[in-house]
Amino acid sequence: MSLYGMMRTGVSGMNAQANRLSTVADNIANSDTTGYKRSSAEFSTLVMPTTGGAYNSGGVTTTIRSSISAQGVLQYTTSVSDLAVNGEGFFVVQDPSGTPFLTRAGAFVPDAEGKLVNAAGYQLMAYSYANGEPAATANGFEGLVPVQISDQEMTASPSTAGNFNGNLPAGATPVAAANLPTTNTAAAQYTEKSSLVAYDNLGNKVLLDVYFTNTGAGTWQVSVFDQSKATPGTSFPYAGGALGTANLTFDTTTGKLSGAIDSVSLTVPNGATLKLDLSKLTQLGTGFTVSDAEVNGNAPSTIEKVQIGEDGIIYAQYQDGSTKPLYKIPLADVQSPDRLAALPGNVYAQSSDSGAVRIGFANEGKLGAIISGALENSNVDIAEELTNMIAAQRSYTANSKVFQTGSDLMDVLVNLKR
């Protein structure tokens, strides 16, 4: 082995331990950084060709690894917009230029435009409910938009769906066809009546009268009218007639719906088409009862507060108490998270070794749950880092002794002539 090779090996060892100390320094500096994943220096040998009777020392090479897949401890907060992933997956964020990245740093706060931005300035991305129930784009970031919630804008949603659950009395007396509510005459008769509140396109309340009329053994007619069109002081006739009607058939043995029709569709005045689900209605030997009745839509109001579920759905709760889904936060994952490219701002990008990014929703497959009001601490163990720092220092000193010994022997060799 040449003295030059020995000195070069010592330098290689010092450089490797310097890299190790650099990762320790980064880890300690970011021990309180939300969502930070510790880095470590992995060493591998560098072997040089040897010949008989001579050994050529090689050295050591360094590979930096990040423990991205290791989860940190969750710390709970009082902010709804603080988000953490309990399990596998990453939030999708974008920088001001629109480039998407992955992160576990979920300390999001609204900016001046209502966009949720974390401490590094990255905007949270999600799928909007503006065009209906969102679906994830499995192999790309298309369809994702910045989450933007403003409490200054007033919104109103027309009623489009509802449900009416309850029981119709099995022993009711049938009403003659000539007197059914759909005839809309002063002599119209019915068996049971209820009312529902719906909303038109401008958020105005529309009170709907719902009539249930027995027409025979196991058969009922459902008719819906606009209460504002009723004859003053009475009910029938209603100006304009019924908004919607349907005929229901029940199994007289089980009391459950047996026909193909289980809903009634109607158009809310100055509103949208409303489908009222009646599939949970029964006809049993007891009186008329209403167990549940709901209609979506809301009156004009501003957002009072925001709620985020474990499935990632962001709900807006309005001043009138109604709620509405606004966005659905997806989670991204790759085949090898530890091989993602770590970038400034505590974000990650896909690399050739990590595999392609896959997008899904929380609690689906291997993806974890989204926890609102919590942050993921870094996965740095200070005690372990201090131990690694001491070990790296000792190894660095030992390698420097090798270099120093080689240098001393080189001096001896140079001075042989003297």
Side-chain angles (χ1 to χ4, degrees), residues 234-316:
T234 57
S235 53
F236 293 101
Y238 287 80
L243 300 176
T245 184
N247 295 311
L248 306 178
T249 302
F250 290 88
D251 188 321
T252 55
T253 302
T254 63
K256 296 181 179 180
L257 280 172
S258 59
I261 299 176
D262 61 0
S263 63
V264 58
S265 294
L266 59 125
T267 300
V268 178
N270 193 34
T273 299
L274 167 62
K275 183 178 180 180
L276 188 62
D277 183 4
L278 305 173
S279 60
K280 298 297 179 64
L281 277 177
T282 58
Q283 181 194 254
L284 301 174
T286 184
F288 176 66
T289 57
V290 179
S291 58
D292 185 28
E294 295 180 352
V295 176
N296 67 357
N298 65 273
S301 59
T302 57
I303 297 176
E304 188 173 60
K305 62 180 180 179
V306 173
Q307 299 173 342
I308 304 176
E310 288 192 358
D311 54 3
I313 299 178
I314 302 177
Y315 294 93

Side-chain angles (χ1 to χ4, degrees), residues 41-394:
E42 304 292 336
F43 303 137
S44 58
T45 58
L46 179 63
V47 179
M48 302 295 289
T50 59
T51 58
Y55 176 80
N56 294 321
S57 62
V60 58
T61 60
T62 309
T63 302
I64 305 300
R65 296 282 177 84
S66 295
S67 301
I68 300 175
S69 59
Q71 179 162 346
V73 177
L74 298 186
Q75 178 181 351
Y76 291 89
T77 70
T78 58
S79 175
V80 175
S81 60
D82 282 341
L83 302 175
V85 179
N86 187 18
E88 296 185 23
F90 299 83
F91 297 114
V92 180
V93 294
Q94 71 173 17
D95 62 11
S97 67
T99 304
F101 298 97
L102 310 183
T103 188
R104 298 275 291 198
F108 297 104
V109 294
D111 64 6
E113 298 178 351
K115 296 179 180 179
L116 294 184
V117 181
N118 67 11
Y122 290 92
Q123 302 170 355
L124 177 65
M125 305 293 287
Y127 295 103
S128 174
Y129 273 85
N131 296 319
E133 183 75 22
T137 305
N139 62 343
F141 300 103
E142 283 71 23
L144 290 170
V145 296
V147 174
Q148 186 171 11
I149 303 173
S150 174
D151 58 1
Q152 303 300 319
E153 300 178 2
M154 296 192 71
T155 60
S157 299
S159 298
T160 57
N163 64 276
F164 192 100
N165 304 335
N167 181 72
L168 302 176
T173 302
V175 174
N179 295 327
L180 290 174
T182 49
T183 63
N184 196 28
T185 64
Q189 300 176 22
Y190 60 89
T191 307
E192 305 293 347
K193 176 185 177 182
S194 186
S195 296
L196 293 172
V197 174
Y199 299 92
D200 66 12
N201 291 326
L202 301 179
N204 296 312
K205 291 184 178 180
V206 178
L207 197 57
L208 304 176
D209 286 340
V210 184
Y211 292 93
F212 297 92
T213 308
N214 184 261
T215 58
T219 58
W220 291 76
Q221 184 186 85
V222 183
S223 304
V224 183
F225 294 84
D226 180 1
Q227 189 181 94
S228 66
K229 303 298 183 180
T231 301
T234 57
S235 53
F236 293 101
Y238 287 80
L243 300 176
T245 184
N247 295 311
L248 306 178
T249 302
F250 290 88
D251 188 321
T252 55
T253 302
T254 63
K256 296 181 179 180
L257 280 172
S258 59
I261 299 176
D262 61 0
S263 63
V264 58
S265 294
L266 59 125
T267 300
V268 178
N270 193 34
T273 299
L274 167 62
K275 183 178 180 180
L276 188 62
D277 183 4
L278 305 173
S279 60
K280 298 297 179 64
L281 277 177
T282 58
Q283 181 194 254
L284 301 174
T286 184
F288 176 66
T289 57
V290 179
S291 58
D292 185 28
E294 295 180 352
V295 176
N296 67 357
N298 65 273
S301 59
T302 57
I303 297 176
E304 188 173 60
K305 62 180 180 179
V306 173
Q307 299 173 342
I308 304 176
E310 288 192 358
D311 54 3
I313 299 178
I314 302 177
Y315 294 93
Q317 182 171 331
Y318 296 91
Q319 292 176 337
D320 62 355
S322 63
T323 59
K324 175 184 175 182
L326 300 179
Y327 299 93
K328 191 168 186 179
I329 304 171
L331 292 179
D333 198 13
V334 294
Q335 185 66 32
S336 179
D338 290 344
R339 296 298 186 94
L340 286 169
L343 301 173
N346 208 6
V347 296
Y348 306 98
Q350 173 185 322
S351 71
S352 58
D353 296 325
S354 66
V357 174
R358 299 167 297 187
I359 306 292
F361 292 119
N363 297 318
E364 292 182 357
K366 298 191 301 180
L367 297 175
I370 295 176
I371 308 300
S372 174
L375 295 174
E376 181 183 358
N377 289 336
S378 71
N379 58 1
V380 174
D381 184 341
I382 293 295
E384 181 182 356
E385 298 303 324
L386 292 176
T387 302
N388 289 338
M389 182 172 62
I390 295 173
Q393 181 186 14
R394 297 297 186 189

Side-chain angles (χ1 to χ4, degrees), residues 400-416:
S400 69
K401 291 295 185 182
V402 171
F403 183 87
Q404 184 177 2
T405 301
S407 177
D408 291 342
L409 292 177
M410 186 69 74
D411 285 343
V412 172
L413 186 62
V414 170
N415 291 327
L416 281 178

